[in-house]
Amino acid sequence: LRWYPGAMGLSIKGGLGFGLVSAELDDAAGGAAPLEDKLDKSPFTLGAGVGYEWRLPIQGHAVTFGPQVDYHYLRLSGEHTASVISLKLQLQWYSSRRGMDQYFGGKGD
């Protein structure tokens, strides 16, 4: 779910997702760990993010560009959890100028 809280370009998002995790622990000597120390899970995730979009001056097109930071939390099993932070530069192409104006308010460039 993404929310644009004003006419600027700030976006806030959150939601549930699905993650794939595969990990194998090494023993202290650097060799492969026993089979019970391997982990293969497909957990649900919780995520949140914040970003900012600037309209690009492309005549007749609804395009934005901007940074985004996302955080995801996964509960694997027992005491095992994982946290992931991702930093992105995104390019958004809205299906129509009207669609972009619904998020940013006002008329397009």
Side-chain angles (χ1 to χ4, degrees), residues 20-94:
L20 301 175
V21 176
S22 180
E24 182 176 321
L25 303 174
D26 289 339
D27 66 12
L35 184 60
E36 58 269 10
D37 290 339
K38 294 183 181 181
L39 177 65
D40 286 304
K41 296 286 180 183
S42 300
F44 284 98
T45 68
L46 293 174
V50 64
Y52 197 88
E53 297 177 17
W54 289 276
R55 291 182 183 193
L56 296 179
I58 300 174
Q59 187 65 28
H61 297 284
V63 180
T64 64
F65 173 79
Q68 178 147 338
V69 178
D70 291 329
Y71 171 79
H72 296 277
Y73 172 81
L74 299 83
R75 181 152 188 91
L76 302 172
S77 64
E79 63 191 55
H80 300 289
T81 63
S83 294
V84 177
I85 296 174
S86 61
L87 304 171
K88 307 173 197 174
L89 286 177
Q90 60 186 4
L91 182 65
Q92 303 270 20
W93 185 288
Y94 291 86

Side-chain angles (χ1 to χ4, degrees), residues 1-12:
L1 176 65
R2 188 179 292 240
W3 176 51
Y4 292 86
M8 297 303 288
L10 179 68
S11 67
I12 300 170

